[in-house]
């Protein structure tokens, strides 16, 4: 799966009291789709944190492994940030140990928790590369609603140097089953035959054929709800 999608593993993180960014200070789930391994995160993405917080201190980002939180991919001649949608920027006050420096669009971020109604997309960076693709969900999209919900989004990049990054994602909340389904589409680095030949039938990933769009690869993790991550591999 990593060879095809570029993603190494998935982390679903519950924030009981929210996290930095005033509009996100409400209980919610973040889904990090990491391009780096857990071992890399544990050994390379370390920093000295501000007291009582998971946020890396500005001082620690100037030395040692903390430098990775301060280095961002840019186009050489224009200095534009790469692998981010237009309007996005990296937020140095949201550099979180083992996750990376978060990047989002401040113009679409909720100004207050009470107005956060729909899923929103963030990224994390480390060492000049994208460390994770991060959909975030307000509570009404995971457990606090009696209504069916569905949203889909195109992802356009101002300067895309990582071809595997998703170009579309969608979130569905089924109020009957209380399942939240996340579907992500991107360009596969493997053709269909290569992917079939490298798939381990005993792996935890379930691979199903989707004749309309290629392979659909899904990974599940129990949360008290069921979070479902789907990749549609294109070639």
């Amino acid at each position: 799966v990593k060879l095809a999608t570029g993603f190494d593993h998935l982390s679903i993180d519950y924030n009981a009291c929210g996290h930095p960014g005033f509009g996100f200070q409400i209980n919610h789930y973040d889904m990090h789709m990491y391009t780096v391994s857990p071992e890399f995160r544990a050994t390379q993405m370390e920093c000295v944190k501000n007291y009582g917080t998971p946020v890396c201190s500005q001082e620690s980002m100037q030395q040692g492994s903390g430098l990775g939180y301060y280095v961002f991919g840019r186009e050489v001649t224009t200095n534009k940030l790469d692998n981010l949608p237009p309007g996005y920027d990296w937020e140095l006050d949201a550099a979180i140990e083992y996750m990376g420096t978060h990047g989002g669009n401040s113009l679409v971020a909720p100004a207050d928790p009470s107005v956060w109604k729909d899923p929103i997309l963030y990224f994390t960076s480390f060492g000049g590369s994208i460390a994770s693709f991060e959909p975030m969900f307000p509570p009404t999209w995971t457990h606090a609603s009696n209504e069916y919900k569905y949203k889909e989004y195109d992802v356009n990049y101002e300067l895309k140097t990582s071809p595997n990054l998703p170009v579309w994602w969608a979130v569905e909340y089924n109020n009957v089953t209380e399942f939240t389904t996340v579907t992500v589409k991107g360009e596969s680095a493997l053709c269909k035959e290569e992917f079939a030949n490298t798939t381990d039938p005993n792996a935890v990933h379930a691979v199903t054929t989707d004749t309309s769009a290629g392979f659909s690869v899904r990974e599940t993790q129990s949360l008290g709800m069921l979070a479902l991550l789907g990749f549609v591999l294109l070639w």
Side-chain angles (χ1 to χ4, degrees):
V1 174
K2 182 175 183 178
L3 291 175
T5 66
F7 291 122
D8 182 272
H9 67 285
L10 165 69
S11 173
I12 301 175
D13 306 295
Y14 179 62
N15 302 275
C17 299
H19 56 58
F22 181 66
F24 301 122
Q25 291 181 9
I26 188 173
N27 74 91
H28 70 275
Y29 285 96
D30 297 339
M31 178 181 286
H32 290 89
M33 305 176 197
Y34 283 102
T35 62
V36 295
S37 69
E39 293 76 18
F40 181 91
R41 292 172 57 203
T43 60
Q44 303 299 315
M45 298 176 68
E46 297 178 305
C47 70
V48 177
K49 299 182 289 293
N50 291 324
Y51 180 77
T53 78
V55 180
C56 299
S57 69
Q58 291 288 327
E59 293 77 13
S60 75
M61 289 192 290
Q62 308 299 320
Q63 56 190 323
S65 61
L67 285 170
Y69 291 92
Y70 200 68
V71 177
F72 308 111
R74 294 181 182 273
E75 204 277 331
V76 175
T77 56
T78 65
N79 205 37
K80 286 185 177 180
L81 293 168
D82 60 24
N83 297 314
L84 283 180
Y88 275 61
D89 201 355
W90 298 112
E91 303 168 1
L92 293 180
D93 59 349
I96 309 298
E97 187 174 37
Y98 308 128
M99 291 184 179
T101 300
H102 286 72
N105 187 337
S106 60
L107 296 179
V108 299
D112 183 277
S114 64
V115 299
W116 188 17
K117 303 300 182 185
D118 294 321
I120 193 169
L121 179 64
Y122 265 64
F123 296 79
T124 68
S125 170
F126 187 81
S129 299
I130 297 297
S132 75
F133 182 91
E134 181 192 0
M136 296 166 50
F137 319 101
T140 53
W141 281 80
T142 57
H143 59 279
S145 176
N146 58 5
E147 298 179 1
Y148 172 85
K149 297 174 181 289
Y150 178 83
K151 284 278 187 178
E152 61 181 60
Y153 307 87
D154 291 320
V155 186
N156 300 304
Y157 298 87
E158 200 158 28
L159 179 64
K160 189 177 183 183
T161 62
S162 298
N164 296 92
L165 286 174
V167 296
W168 179 92
W169 64 291
V171 185
E172 177 189 43
Y173 175 69
N174 186 319
N175 59 301
V176 176
T177 63
E178 296 187 334
F179 284 5
T180 297
T181 303
V182 180
T183 304
V184 180
K185 294 183 182 181
E187 182 178 352
S188 173
L190 299 177
C191 66
K192 182 175 181 179
E193 292 75 14
E194 288 176 316
F195 183 79
N197 290 337
T198 57
T199 300
D200 180 355
N202 298 315
V204 295
H205 304 88
V207 182
T208 59
T209 301
D210 180 343
T211 56
S212 64
F215 276 144
S216 176
V217 182
R218 297 184 174 185
E219 180 177 7
T220 63
Q221 178 174 341
S222 175
L223 289 174
M225 63 163 193
L226 180 70
L228 182 62
L229 168 64
F231 292 115
V232 177
L233 309 181
L234 309 177
W235 60 88

